Amino acid sequence: MAFDLENRKLNASRGRGLPFLSFVMCGGSGSRLWPLSRIDKPKQFHRLSGKESLLSATLKRLQSAPDLNGRITVIGAKNHQMQIEKTISAGSDIKMILEPVARNTAAVAALATLSALSGCDDALILLCPADHDISSTEQFWQSVAQGISAASRGAIVTFGLLPERPETGYGYIEAGEPEDNGYAITRFVEKPDHETAIAFIRQGRFFWNSGIFLFRASTMREAFLQFAPDIWQHTEGALQHADCSAEAIYLRDEFYQSVPAISFDHAIMEKADRRMLIPASFSWSDLGSWQSLCKLEQQHDNQDDCGNVLIGDVIAHDCSNSYIRSEAGLLTISGLKDMAVIALKDATFISPLAQSHQVQAIVKELTQQKRAELYYEQPVYAPDIHRQHVKDWLFEKALPYWALKGADHRHGGFYESLSLQGLPVAGPRRSRTMARQIYVFAKGQLAGWAGASSDLVSHGLLFMQERGRSRSGGWVQSFTASGEVAQARENFYDQTCMLLALSYAHQAGHNQALQLGQETFAFLDNKLAHIAGGFYESRADRDNPRALLTSNAHMHYLEACLAWHEVTGDDAYLRRADEVVELCKDHFFDRDYWCLTEFFQNGWRQVADARGDHTEPGHYFEWAALLSDYANRTGCREARRMAHRLYSCTLSTGINRSTGLAYNSVSREGRPIDRGSRSWQQCEALKAAIMLDGYNDQDLKPEIEARIATLFRWHLQPAQEGLWYDRLDASGTNCSDHVPASILYHLVSALTLYLQPLGKVDAKKSVNKQNMVERVTMPV
């Protein structure tokens, strides 16, 4: 059997008429090519040996035969979904199976087999890596054709290459007796030492293991059931509970975690009965080290007269046979021989080429230190580098998306959340979410968004006036999905959210917002005021001596007071803010640990249980931004010092060093309690950096740009446009299945602050607006 290049197809019967399916293994981390290849963007997504990425070249190779089109599946990491989607050509029928965690190649082979058997009784499966360099498409398919006959009769076929050198980074296969177009396999040897590799070459019956396999699905099913039934059963269970869309199968972490992590060679190939090696006619490299990449480029004649491979802005003087790469500006090198020098913007690796595989020891140390450079390339500061990106996401994607998908025009108000695919999620709806969506569209209008913000604000205000007012003049807590009141309790937190929304609705020119705001302040004073200062969480708490008081709701009250001072210029709101800042100074802020106490008992006594040790870094950032705002208005040095200390404490104890994201919670002493992260915390970190920029002559502009990059990298870019991933685990993997509407308030607040002209953040000195008249009557 042969590959017909002119007609681009296998020109003989393909395994007794079996469907031919190709699966691409795209989950590798490529750590041996650090610092270029990182967990965030491993080598398969880089252009290393041509004008396109290794994954793109692999897919084009598999698409080269027309009768195989539409039968390709990429099995990769869920975190790389966006990069895989960008690589898959538009209009193609390539599917994805996305792993929440890596489980090595045996699990991938089981996934491919189970996927094939779900669509047909049996099939021929070609399983190949995404990150290898192969010289010729024609020779590749000629080699595959040589193995189809044996694979169709039940052999597991792999492809080997005669060694060109004593390579210690490759696995080897010992060939036995000739059989069909190849050889029976005697044994597998994993990465021998140098002397053993030389002996293998001299014996002449050892081949490099290409990691490419061809087999029948039914054959592989029996092999797994015989040699690795636990892998098969757990993988099958994970597929049965997977979430599916037209483009991808999303494996769920709680089921896929149980799959044993072991290589396909160890689990199956070393034990299987019928194994065959086909000598490959194509040139091949797994690009597993800087030395192998250098040799490949030299073979392609991409070298200077002294054998140097120079990539980027490099000047090499008196150097020979070296791989020198710069992505960080001009790199000048002198007097090097047989060296690897890779200089990126945030990390550099230098090693003798022959020892470049030792980069794995560096990677191990980076892992132990939890260095972010192992995971992703750190952003390099350039003034306003993200400004246009932020404007595009906010004004062209997020606000239009939520204006279209987030408003409920049947029952009124706004949906509580959307699915990751943008569909409304059924369930009750909170008043705070209604309030925050009113804020979002009013703030968007004031920031320059050209959408139908006025109508959307009116839509939300009308719903809350008709459905959300309590008899006492406050705002109820929640509604059913059909818009009826579910919880009538007037929660302090919800009142503060409505106060903030009403201040911006008033500023945007909506009639009645000022009066509603004044009535809400009156409700708080009459119904929730605490004798020791501040407010109860609800009216029922006034008569409950064991009721909890919280600092977080008071922080949002401070935010609302500052917002009303901004729009009216009335110092009465600033006096309300004074009271909250005094509470923070006397009770909330812990001067020993520079942290914030979250929960209190009656009389503002700190709770004695575990909740007293619980603090949230995201709240530190929120308080830091608001205290800075307050200090700008009043000149209060104590407030600014508290803001700076909270910000400094969070940077030292509240940040995940692997991802750069703020933890969900830490102890008072700074010990991580919940290592996960949420999107709102990163927004508040950005706001705090903006508000503290320039304090004590500190230039936080690089930190501001890094915060923007971190927010987009982990939360915004991986999600569908206009949406975001809200909850991430400690490794940065998404663990949320919906998008809370209330988080848009944090995003709009932070991103519009970032977009303000330089210097405007500090321009808070009030202008008397007490007699400001309403400009627009709210449409009914």
Side-chain angles (χ1 to χ4, degrees), residues 78 435 447 476 652:
K78 192 174 182 180
V476 303
S652 65

Side-chain angles (χ1 to χ4, degrees), residues 75 97-112 114 224 228-242 251-264 267-268:
I75 303 176
I97 300 176
L98 299 174
E99 301 175 288
V101 291
R103 279 296 172 260
N104 217 315
T105 51
V108 174
L111 283 171
L114 284 159
F224 268 105
D230 51 344
I231 295 176
W232 181 264
Q233 291 163 4
H234 286 292
T235 306
E236 185 176 29
L239 266 178
Q240 289 172 347
H241 291 90
L251 299 168
R252 293 166 64 178
D253 185 69
E254 60 266 33
F255 296 100
Y256 199 62
Q257 279 275 12
S258 62
V259 179
I262 186 172
S263 73
F264 180 60
I268 301 298

